[in-house]
């Protein structure tokens, strides 16, 4: 239906997708597996996001948490006809509606958008992946991706933080990752009753000194609440990691996803287009200015 | 269109100007231009040349705008009104697509949108140099970005630009500081200079494109002579000398980047009402809300794009709250974007010096004054 | 184990990292290797604090016991971390329980002995106080960060 004087306008129109599976992650968070109804899914990179649309409710940016059935690559970079995973926390009208979707129901999807994690920069280096709360969602595919190309990296560590064990996403996968010897996985929560919890208690920054990475040859990939990312970046910088080697995934209001509507600006950056993954070198100064 | 060699500048008499309008219409263009409405000069569809603000002048100062009759019958003896050509290329409300629910999801229509229907050719008649510069700024945002905006691009392609040099700057104008006026820069199809002296009321016309040159050829005219050029130069020189405001742009992005915590932001926040007037009258502000509009049943849905303003709380709201909650941070965002980070994003200033934000600020906040104060406080040894 | 090997082991303890060799020797002299089985209560709230531990392997939980809630895990200390600073400041009593969550290997330091040496040698006293203060600040800031409840709900918006 695109006329020829609508250059690349199709990027701003959703395509119908169908929910093929739904996994309850926590009390307020679900992971939807969705597949295109009548189109082909576009290729995507870990760290990118889609705009998910609930007709008559609205549209929200949600990062891509993985894929299923993507063939040779194992599914975390999309391809023709792949299933996409989106982990969604019910916090507003649109996300509540999305979380309530059941297999068989449809939604609209446009994307993928934005710049994902720069794994080329991590080649030949140690990789420390730090996620907090819902911030695990865009990091899940990067854990898969680094494990798949494991020889390309030095030490590989994944640090996850959450409020309580019940708030942790991807519990069964976390268990599998903790059992691996080629990935150091540490999980910490803010507080927990009893002694059943097998992980740590404390903020995620306190786990960093345990990771024997080389500060001069490490790339850190960080996603979580902004305050958490500021503290993690500060700790990494203190340990001698260069600002350009710290990548963070930022959250800002996004409506167009193509750098046009202006809402997501942080200093010179349009987070939807220049991010959501940006280096600390690029945004650290701006993030240090209150209400920037 | 192209960059062909254009014939020598011509002179069209006031009496023959209607022929130019007729020629434009004959090419299939609807004529849009300035006209007096509600006590202001606004842009709209022109029926005839007589709809222009003939004989009107404007007096502008911070927070104030008044029209008055002048003792002559010039067509362009005024500066700029509250409206800008932005509203023609990037409408304040626009339907982008619509969708209807089906048994199995929804079907989206893009062929009934405002942009798709805005297929008519329009002539922008009387575009001021600062406004031509503003269009060029928005072209960088909407046409030359990574993802060209389909509706803006479609409208822009169909627009014929007839620019007019500025002879009567207002008290809030500072195009000279921004390098955008008062003489017309590149980007026009046809540029006019209104001359009204002992040799009569006439227009020096310069074609900027083939189509502009053709239009001139199609109406009664004579070749411009040295005295016409001298008269046009005098108009520009006079306007240049009468700028109402000045803005020192030296290292402006760097100045703003290092004064983010200046006490001046607290000062301006005491005055700013965060009403968003400045962003609405600004000819380059491009932010928008993408809004979901549904009928009661939810079966028919439309996606609308509406002008947004960084002065509203909702503008930067994320899950958990608003990023820029204080007036201080919102004014700072607007000014530092307009004059600073815009350079990084689009390779140009976001300000063209039209002065609208000063005139239409209900409390008369003057960005040239704010920058002067920031600069003053930034001097080594300046008392905070 | 020799004194020498304890000094080596202490190089992995962040709080004591880069301690001048002569001071490291003094501190090492007050340390001995210890082992705790899973579930061992290492420290108990309100009891005299005359020891601190540098954890080498395993994890230790700091707990508070609250009536009706049972034990609540406040923080865990893992390899390279230091457990206990109440030995350094009056009234020299523990504020929390500490329980081995896994088999724990640690170096235990005689706090009373170290306090005496710090009193005798202000340089040692300054170095240790400075280092423990830095560890305290890290813990305090981590605690403040948890006070923010950054993973919490915030105000839900449409």
């Amino acid at each position: 239906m695109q006329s020829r004087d609508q250059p690349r306008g199709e990027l701003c129109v959703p395509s119908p997708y169908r929910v093929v599976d739904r996994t309850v992650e926590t009390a307020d968070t679900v992971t939807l597996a969705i597949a295109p109804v009548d189109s082909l899914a576009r290729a995507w990179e870990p760290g990118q996001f889609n705009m998910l649309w609930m007709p008559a409710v609205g549209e929200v940016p949600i990062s891509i948490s993985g894929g299923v059935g993507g063939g040779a690559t194992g599914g975390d970079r999309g391809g023709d006809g792949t299933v996409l995973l989106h982990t969604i926390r019910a916090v507003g009208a649109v996300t509540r509606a999305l979380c309530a979707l059941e297999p068989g129901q449809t939604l609209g999807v446009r994307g993928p958008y934005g710049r994902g994690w720069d794994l080329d920069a991590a080649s030949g280096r140690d990789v420390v992946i730090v996620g907090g709360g819902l911030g695990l969602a865009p990091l899940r595919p990067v854990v898969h991706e680094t494990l798949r190309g494991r020889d390309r990296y030095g030490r590989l560590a994944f640090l996850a933080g959450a409020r309580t064990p019940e708030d942790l996403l991807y519990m069964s996968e976390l268990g599998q990752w903790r059992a691996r010897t080629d990935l150091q996985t540490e999980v910490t929560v803010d507080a927990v009753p009893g002694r059943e919890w097998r992980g740590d208690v404390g903020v995620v920054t306190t786990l960093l000194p345990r990771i024997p990475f080389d500060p001069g040859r490490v790339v850190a990939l960080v996603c979580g609440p902004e305050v958490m990312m500021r503290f993690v970046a500060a700790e990494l910088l203190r340990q001698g990691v260069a600002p350009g080697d710290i990548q963070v995934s930022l959250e800002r209001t996004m409506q167009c996803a193509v750098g046009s509507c202006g809402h997501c600006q942080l200093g010179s950056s349009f987070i939807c287009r220049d991010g959501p993954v940006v280096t600390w070198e690029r945004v650290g100064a701006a993030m240090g200015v209150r209400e920037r | 269109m192209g960059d062909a060699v254009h014939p020598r500048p011509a002179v069209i008499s006031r009496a023959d100007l209607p022929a130019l309008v007729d020629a434009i219409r004959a090419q299939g263009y609807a004529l849009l231009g300035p006209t007096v409405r509600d006590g202001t000069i606004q842009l709209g569809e022109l029926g005839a040349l007589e709809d222009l603000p003939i004989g009107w002048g404007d007096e502008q100062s911070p927070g104030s705008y008044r029209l008055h009759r002048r003792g002559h019958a010039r067509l362009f003896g005024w500066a700029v009104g509250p409206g800008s050509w932005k509203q023609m290329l990037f409408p304040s409300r626009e339907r982008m697509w619509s969708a209807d629910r089906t048994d199995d999801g929804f079907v989206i229509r893009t062929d009934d949108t405002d942009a798709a229907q805005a297929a008519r050719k329009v002539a922008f008649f009387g575009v001021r140099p600062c406004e031509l510069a503003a269009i060029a700024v928005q072209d960088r945002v909407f046409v030359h970005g990574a993802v060209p905006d389909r509706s803006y691009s479609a409208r822009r392609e169909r627009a014929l630009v007839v620019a007019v040099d500025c002879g009567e700057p207002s008290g809030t104008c500072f195009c000279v500081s921004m390098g955008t006026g008062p003489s017309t820069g590149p980007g026009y199809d046809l540029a006019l200079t209104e001359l009204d002296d002992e040799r009569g009321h006439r227009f020096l016309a310069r074609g900027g494109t083939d189509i502009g040159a053709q239009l001139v050829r199609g109406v009664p005219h004579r070749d411009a002579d040295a005295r016409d050029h001298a008269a046009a130069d005098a108009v520009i020189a006079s306007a240049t000398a009468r700028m109402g405001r000045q803005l020192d742009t030296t290292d402006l992005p760097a100045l703003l980047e290092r004064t983010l915590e200046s006490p001046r932001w607290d000062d301006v926040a005491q005055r700013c009402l965060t009403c968003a007037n400045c962003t609405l009258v600004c000819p380059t502000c491009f932010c928008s809300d993408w809004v979901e509009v549904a009928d009661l049943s939810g079966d028919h849905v439309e996606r609308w794009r509406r002008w947004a303003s960084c002065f509203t709380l909702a503008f930067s709201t994320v899950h958990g709250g608003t990023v820029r909650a204080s007036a201080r941070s919102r004014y700072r965002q607007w000014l530092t974007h307009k004059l600073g980070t815009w350079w990084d994003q689009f390779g140009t200033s976001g300000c063209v010096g039209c002065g609208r934000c000063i005139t239409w600020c209900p409390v008369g906040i003057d960005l040239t004054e704010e920058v002067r104060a920031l600069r003053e406080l930034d001097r080594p040894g300046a008392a905070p | 184990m020799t004194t020498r090997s304890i000094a080596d082991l202490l190089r992995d303890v962040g709080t004591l990292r880069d301690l001048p060799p002569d001071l490291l020797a003094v501190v090492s002299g007050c340390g001995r290797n210890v082992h705790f089985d899973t579930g061992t209560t290492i420290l108990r709230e309100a009891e005299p604090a005359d020891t601190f531990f540098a954890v080498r392997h395993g994890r230790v939980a700091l707990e508070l016991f609250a009536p009706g809630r049972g034990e609540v895990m406040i923080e865990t200390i893992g390899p390279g971390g230091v457990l206990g600073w109440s030995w350094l400041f009056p009234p020299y009593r523990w504020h929390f329980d500490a329980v081995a969550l896994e088999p724990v290997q640690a170096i235990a330091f005689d706090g009373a002995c170290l306090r005496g040496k710090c009193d005798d040698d202000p340089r040692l006293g300054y170095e240790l106080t400075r280092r423990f203060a830095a560890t305290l600040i890290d813990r305090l800031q981590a605690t403040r960060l948890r006070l923010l409840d950054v993973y919490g709900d915030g105000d839900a918006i449409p």
Side-chain angles (χ1 to χ4, degrees):
Chain A
M1 260 185 269
Q2 306 299 317
S3 67
R4 62 188 160 73
D5 59 2
Q6 295 173 348
R8 301 180 64 180
E10 80 278 4
L11 281 175
C12 295
V13 175
S15 302
Y17 273 58
R18 194 183 309 283
V19 177
V20 294
D21 195 19
R22 176 180 188 270
T23 308
V24 175
E25 299 282 355
T26 74
D28 60 3
T29 306
V30 303
T31 296
L32 295 180
I34 59 175
V37 171
D38 55 11
S39 57
L40 297 177
R42 292 166 184 268
W44 57 277
E45 299 284 337
Q48 287 191 304
F49 66 96
N50 277 321
M51 297 297 292
L52 302 191
W53 176 53
M54 283 299 296
V57 186
E59 198 179 42
V60 287
I62 304 284
S63 55
I64 302 170
S65 289
V68 177
T73 60
D76 272 310
R77 287 170 191 248
D80 294 353
T82 58
V83 168
L84 294 173
L85 300 182
H86 284 284
T87 298
I88 305 154
R89 185 176 182 185
V91 292
V94 182
T95 49
R96 270 196 297 274
L98 287 166
C99 284
L101 284 173
E102 294 289 344
Q105 293 187 292
T106 53
L107 71 160
V109 177
R110 60 185 177 100
Y113 291 119
R115 287 151 95 96
W117 306 102
D118 183 1
L119 281 176
D120 291 339
S123 187
R125 289 163 166 249
D126 294 341
V127 182
V128 177
I129 303 167
V130 188
L134 200 59
L136 270 62
L139 290 170
R140 181 187 172 276
V142 94
V143 173
H144 281 263
E145 186 75 14
T146 47
L147 285 175
R148 194 157 38 243
R150 185 64 190 85
D151 339 341
R152 284 205 291 275
Y153 312 101
R155 287 179 181 278
L156 187 57
F158 178 54
L159 313 181
R163 195 186 199 190
T164 71
E166 289 72 35
D167 294 314
L168 274 167
L169 307 179
Y170 317 129
M171 268 306 244
S172 63
E173 266 183 314
L174 283 174
Q176 291 164 23
W177 293 342
R178 290 182 79 163
R180 294 183 73 121
T181 54
D182 57 350
L183 168 70
Q184 180 179 355
T185 300
E186 305 281 350
V187 183
T188 187
V189 297
D190 279 354
V192 62
R195 287 181 194 159
E196 304 307 309
W197 172 239
R198 304 311 303 159
D200 277 285
V201 178
V203 289
V204 75
T205 47
T206 58
L207 301 178
L208 279 168
R210 275 191 220 169
I211 313 300
F213 60 82
D214 176 352
R217 293 187 55 77
V218 69
V219 166
L221 313 175
V222 188
C223 185
E226 195 160 311
V227 173
M228 183 214 97
M229 292 195 284
R230 291 214 312 260
F231 274 75
V232 170
E235 178 62 29
L236 290 165
L237 294 171
R238 188 171 79 163
Q239 296 193 24
V241 180
D245 291 333
I246 302 171
Q247 302 178 23
V248 295
S249 178
L250 297 183
E251 183 190 14
R252 283 289 185 276
T253 321
M254 295 177 192
Q255 297 185 7
C256 72
V258 293
S260 167
C261 77
H263 288 267
C264 67
Q265 290 177 80
L266 173 63
S268 296
S269 304
F270 290 99
I271 296 304
C272 73
R273 185 194 69 194
D274 306 325
V277 177
V278 285
T279 64
W280 196 254
E281 187 172 26
R282 175 159 188 155
V283 295
M287 285 179 76
V289 176
R290 201 177 276 204
E291 294 189 281
R292 184 80 197 269
Chain B
M1 281 189 259
D3 287 317
V5 179
H6 301 297
R8 285 187 300 274
V11 168
I12 304 170
S13 73
R14 168 68 181 85
D16 288 327
L17 201 62
L20 178 64
V21 168
D22 292 343
I24 292 170
R25 288 214 163 108
Q27 299 267 349
Y29 290 97
L31 197 68
L32 302 180
T35 191
V36 173
R37 198 165 67 223
D38 301 334
T40 60
I41 291 173
Q42 301 197 21
L43 301 176
E45 189 134 4
L46 298 183
L49 214 52
E50 283 60 42
D51 290 342
L52 289 171
I54 298 171
W56 287 97
D58 53 12
E59 266 177 48
Q60 302 191 38
S61 61
S64 170
Y65 176 99
R66 292 286 180 280
L67 287 187
H68 61 92
R69 283 283 182 191
R70 304 181 55 134
H72 55 60
R74 286 176 203 158
L75 278 55
F76 297 99
W78 42 274
V80 290
S84 70
W85 298 98
K86 173 172 90 170
Q87 67 205 53
M88 309 300 176
L89 295 168
F90 169 47
S92 59
R93 292 167 49 81
E94 176 179 8
R95 189 174 53 183
M96 302 169 73
W97 47 262
S98 62
D100 288 295
R101 203 180 288 278
T102 64
D103 291 342
D104 190 30
F106 50 87
V107 62
I108 290 184
R109 289 170 59 100
T110 56
D111 56 349
D112 64 341
T113 62
D114 298 354
Q117 289 172 351
R120 66 177 188 161
K121 299 183 346 181
V122 291
F124 295 172
F125 193 85
V127 176
R128 287 310 165 89
C130 60
E131 304 194 283
L132 187 62
I135 292 171
V137 169
Q138 285 218 319
D139 285 352
R140 291 192 184 218
V141 176
F142 288 120
V143 182
H144 306 302
V147 181
D149 185 83
R150 59 177 184 175
S151 62
Y152 182 97
S153 303
R155 289 189 170 90
R156 184 72 177 91
E157 280 168 18
R158 298 187 187 107
L160 177 85
V161 175
V162 181
V164 180
D165 282 337
C166 190
E168 293 292 340
S170 84
T172 57
C173 287
F174 55 104
C175 63
V176 168
S177 299
M178 304 314 292
T180 60
S183 59
T184 302
Y188 56 84
D189 293 289
L190 179 62
L192 305 174
T193 311
E194 185 171 26
L195 304 175
D196 186 12
D197 55 23
E198 69 284 354
R199 295 179 80 202
H201 193 179
R202 65 201 190 280
F203 293 85
L204 180 66
R206 306 177 297 284
T209 57
D210 289 347
I211 191 164
Q214 258 172 28
L215 285 167
V216 176
R217 278 198 296 273
V219 300
H221 67 275
R222 64 170 169 81
D223 286 349
D225 60 25
R227 289 168 65 197
D228 296 315
H229 285 296
D233 290 347
V235 166
I236 299 299
S238 166
T240 302
R242 287 180 290 138
M243 284 290 122
R245 289 283 183 281
Q246 277 192 335
L247 178 63
D248 178 1
T249 58
T250 314
D251 288 333
L252 198 42
L255 172 78
L256 294 169
E257 203 57 41
R258 69 173 180 265
T259 54
L260 291 169
E261 302 293 2
S262 171
R264 186 66 184 186
W265 301 115
D266 297 309
D267 187 284
V268 70
Q270 295 293 311
R271 291 170 278 135
C272 176
L273 308 177
T274 65
C275 71
N277 263 16
C278 50
T279 52
L280 298 178
V281 296
C282 179
T284 68
C285 271
F286 60 84
C287 290
S288 60
D289 286 328
W290 291 30
V291 185
E292 185 91 355
V293 179
D295 66 3
L296 280 177
S297 67
D299 290 340
H300 181 74
V301 180
E302 297 181 347
R303 175 68 51 85
W304 285 72
R305 178 166 72 179
R306 301 192 307 219
W307 287 359
S309 171
C310 53
F311 280 91
T312 66
L313 273 174
F315 185 82
S316 62
T317 297
V318 289
H319 162 59
T322 292
V323 175
R324 289 184 281 273
S326 69
R328 173 187 190 273
S329 66
R330 282 177 269 152
Y331 186 85
R332 184 181 67 185
Q333 168 61 23
W334 178 71
L335 194 74
T336 56
H337 183 216
K338 189 67 57 185
L339 298 173
T341 50
W342 207 294
W343 280 99
D344 298 327
Q345 294 170 347
F346 303 108
T348 175
S349 169
C351 176
V352 296
C354 71
R356 286 182 178 92
C357 59
I358 307 172
T359 297
W360 296 97
C361 176
V363 294
I365 294 171
D366 174 352
L367 83 168
T368 67
E369 193 52 44
E370 297 310 315
V371 169
R372 189 172 296 116
L374 286 168
R375 207 179 275 286
E376 188 66 22
L377 289 168
D378 182 56
R379 277 191 309 119
Chain C
M1 285 279 173
T2 63
T3 305
R4 177 71 205 158
S5 71
I6 286 188
D8 275 344
L9 296 172
L10 286 183
R11 293 186 208 289
D12 294 333
V13 178
T15 304
L16 301 175
R17 189 165 293 151
D18 299 331
L19 199 64
D22 58 322
L23 300 184
L24 189 63
V26 174
V27 174
S28 306
C30 295
R32 65 194 160 85
N33 278 298
V34 291
H35 173 89
F36 300 104
D37 291 329
T38 303
T40 310
T41 298
I42 303 172
L43 313 171
R44 197 177 291 283
E45 185 182 344
E47 288 189 348
D50 49 16
T51 319
F52 77 93
F53 302 88
V55 178
R56 292 176 49 216
H57 297 290
R59 281 174 313 126
V60 177
L62 289 185
E63 292 180 353
L64 270 179
F65 188 87
R69 290 176 70 182
E71 57 263 351
V72 178
M73 237 191 265
I74 303 298
E75 188 157 22
T76 49
I77 294 161
V82 164
L83 169 65
W85 52 66
S86 297
W87 65 278
L88 194 53
F89 306 101
Y92 311 119
R93 287 186 181 278
W94 300 122
H95 292 80
F96 295 97
D97 298 337
V99 178
L101 292 173
E102 304 163 359
V104 167
Q105 290 180 43
I107 303 163
F109 294 90
D110 181 339
C113 162
L114 263 183
R115 280 202 303 265
K117 288 183 176 173
C118 286
D119 289 344
D120 294 343
D121 180 359
R123 187 167 148 257
L124 175 66
Y126 172 71
E127 280 293 337
L128 286 187
T129 309
R130 191 167 68 90
R131 286 153 187 280
F132 272 83
T135 302
L136 275 167
I137 286 168
D138 285 349
R139 298 269 177 89
L140 175 62
Q141 286 177 349
T143 305
R144 284 170 171 165
L145 195 51
R146 278 194 277 166
L147 273 179
L148 277 176
D149 190 20
V150 290
Y151 306 126
D153 232 347
D155 293 314
I157 47 149

